[in-house]
Amino acid sequence: MSPTHPTPSRRRFLRQSSLFLGGVALAGTVNACSTESTPQATAPATTAAAPATASAGGSKAIRVGYQKSSTILNLLKNQKRLEDRFKGESVNISFNEFAAGPQMLEALNVGSIDLAYTGETPPVFAQAADAPLLYIAWEDVGPLAEALLVQQDSPIQSVAELKGKKVALNKGSNVHYLLVKALEEAGLQYSDIETAYLPPGDARPAFEQKNVDAWVIWDPFQAAAEKQLGARILRDGKGIVQNRGFYLATKSFVEGNPDLVTGLLEELEAVSTFAKDNPPEVSKFLSNELGIPTDVLDLVETRRGYGIQPITPEVVAYQQDVADVFYNLQLIPKQIDVSTVIWTK
C-alpha cells in the first residue's frame, strides 16, 4: 500500500480516527484534557445540554456523554432502554456525542453532562485537575484489547530490544500505562526509549511508513493494524495491566439522584449482557456506525470483556497505582487519593 496514495478503505479508516480518541488526557487541566500537546481532538460532535440536572416543571434528566466507539453506551442509546425504563417518571434522557473522552471529562467537569465513560487513565488526570467526579462502575475491557505492535518484518522480537528505539503512543492514555509496565517487565526504564506522542490517526501512517519502530495502541486500531497491515503483537497487556473501562458521574448527579444511578446501572448491565451474547450483531451495528470493516470488529469482540461491576477495593488500589505511576512520570501535577472519589451506595 502506497503511503502517499492511501486506498479508499484506509482513508475511511483514518477519517474515523477522531471517534476513537477517548481514554486519554493531558495533565494539569480538564480543559486541556487531550492526550497530546499537539491538537488531536475536535469539538463535541453535538452540543452538550445545559448544566442543570432538573429541567423545567420539576422533571429530572440524565445527560449521557458518549462516543460512537463506546459499545455499551452506543447500544444503550440505540435500544432506547433508558427511555423505556423511566417512561412516565418525567425523566428527560439525552445523549451527547463527543469525538473523544477528554471532551467528555471537560463537559462533566463543568456540569454539562451527568455521565461519561473512559478508560483507566482519564479519571486520574481529571481528579488531579479537581474535577467533581465519582467512579460509579467499571467493566473489564480486557488486557488483550491493547498491545505493543511492531511491523510484520521488524527484526525486533522482544520488548527489551526496544532500547533506543522510537515508540508511537497516545500520551496519557491506557496504552501509556501499558508501555510503562511492559518496559518495567523487560528491565528497561521509560527513558531507554524514544517516545513519539501521536494520536491514532497520525500514529498509523507513521507506523505503516516505518517512521517509528513500534506502536502501542488499543482496539479497534490494534485489530485494524493486525488485519490490514499484518502488524505483529510484541506484547499485549496480559499479566501486566487490567485495561478497565469506567463509568463516571458528577458528584451532584449521584448525590441528588441515587434512584436514577441505580436504574442506569441496571440498564447498562442489561445492554452489556446483550452485547456479550450477540457479538456478530454488535460487530455489524458498530460497523454501520463507524465505517470500520466487520472482520476488524469481529476480532475486537473476541478479546474484549463485558459486565458492569461495582468499584471494589482491589479496583481502587489498581487505579491508585496508575495515578502514582503518572505522578512519578510528572504527567499529573499532584498526587491524588483515588479512594476519595468512589461512589458507595
Side-chain angles (χ1 to χ4, degrees):
M1 186 185 308
S2 169
T4 56
H5 301 285
T7 65
S9 63
R10 181 168 169 241
R11 287 197 295 269
R12 285 194 300 272
F13 179 85
L14 293 176
R15 282 198 300 270
Q16 294 298 328
S17 64
S18 65
L19 297 174
F20 294 99
L21 300 182
V24 291
L26 267 182
T29 66
V30 175
N31 188 52
C33 230
S34 70
T35 64
E36 317 290 328
S37 56
T38 55
Q40 66 167 18
T42 60
T46 60
T47 303
T53 16
S55 57
S59 61
K60 294 184 177 181
I62 303 176
R63 299 161 306 162
V64 181
Y66 82 107
Q67 299 172 74
K68 284 187 176 181
S69 58
S70 301
T71 303
I72 302 304
L73 290 179
N74 203 354
L75 286 168
L76 184 75
K77 174 180 180 289
N78 180 262
Q79 296 178 359
K80 297 188 179 299
R81 297 191 67 96
L82 293 182
E83 290 84 348
D84 292 341
R85 171 70 180 244
F86 297 110
K87 185 182 296 183
E89 295 186 37
S90 297
V91 179
N92 296 317
I93 310 298
S94 63
F95 284 81
N96 302 281
E97 183 190 334
F98 293 85
Q103 288 92 332
M104 272 194 284
L105 290 181
E106 180 182 352
L108 195 77
N109 187 32
V110 301
S112 295
I113 60 172
D114 306 306
L115 181 82
Y117 173 82
T118 73
E120 297 161 333
T121 302
V124 166
F125 284 82
Q127 185 183 353
D130 298 319
L133 62 81
L134 289 176
Y135 292 76
I136 61 172
W138 68 280
E139 68 172 348
D140 183 17
V141 179
L144 300 182
E146 57 179 3
L148 186 56
L149 304 177
V150 293
Q151 291 90 351
Q152 189 175 36
D153 59 353
S154 171
I156 298 171
Q157 300 296 322
S158 69
V159 176
E161 294 173 52
L162 289 176
K163 187 171 184 178
K165 304 298 185 182
K166 183 183 290 187
V167 181
L169 71 149
N170 235 3
K171 183 180 180 182
S173 67
N174 287 8
V175 295
H176 202 157
Y177 185 65
L178 168 62
L179 177 61
V180 171
K181 302 303 285 187
L183 293 171
E184 179 182 285
E185 179 189 53
L188 297 181
Q189 300 293 321
Y190 187 70
S191 57
D192 286 332
I193 64 165
E194 180 183 351
T195 52
Y197 292 143
L198 298 171
D202 293 331
R204 172 162 165 151
F207 178 78
E208 187 175 352
Q209 296 167 25
K210 301 186 178 180
N211 294 327
V212 296
D213 299 291
W215 182 22
V216 56
I217 188 62
W218 62 88
D219 274 334
F221 288 115
Q222 174 190 340
E226 291 175 75
K227 285 285 189 179
Q228 298 170 349
L229 306 180
R232 175 163 50 87
I233 294 177
L234 190 65
R235 182 68 166 97
D236 58 31
K238 187 176 181 180
I240 53 175
V241 297
Q242 296 294 328
N243 193 26
R244 295 180 171 114
F246 287 99
Y247 293 92
L248 309 161
T250 62
K251 290 182 179 180
S252 60
F253 177 75
V254 172
E255 292 170 357
N257 304 278
D259 55 330
L260 296 187
V261 175
T262 298
L264 173 64
L265 291 177
E266 288 175 357
E267 294 306 321
L268 287 171
E269 176 57 28
V271 174
S272 183
T273 299
F274 167 83
K276 181 179 179 180
D277 294 341
N278 298 277
E281 189 169 341
V282 171
S283 292
K284 183 178 179 181
F285 169 73
L286 290 177
S287 180
N288 290 335
E289 288 285 298
L290 305 172
I292 302 252
T294 53
D295 65 330
V296 171
L297 294 167
D298 286 341
L299 177 57
V300 171
E301 288 301 308
T302 66
R303 58 192 180 199
R304 73 149 290 163
Y306 288 104
I308 310 302
Q309 304 180 57
I311 307 297
T312 63
E314 186 273 330
V315 173
V316 174
Y318 181 86
Q319 279 297 101
Q320 188 63 55
D321 183 66
V322 174
D324 293 344
V325 164
F326 281 97
Y327 175 72
N328 290 335
L329 289 173
Q330 299 183 338
L331 290 171
I332 59 174
K334 64 181 180 181
Q335 288 186 307
I336 61 172
D337 182 354
V338 175
S339 69
T340 63
V341 291
I342 304 300
W343 176 53
T344 53
K345 296 183 181 181

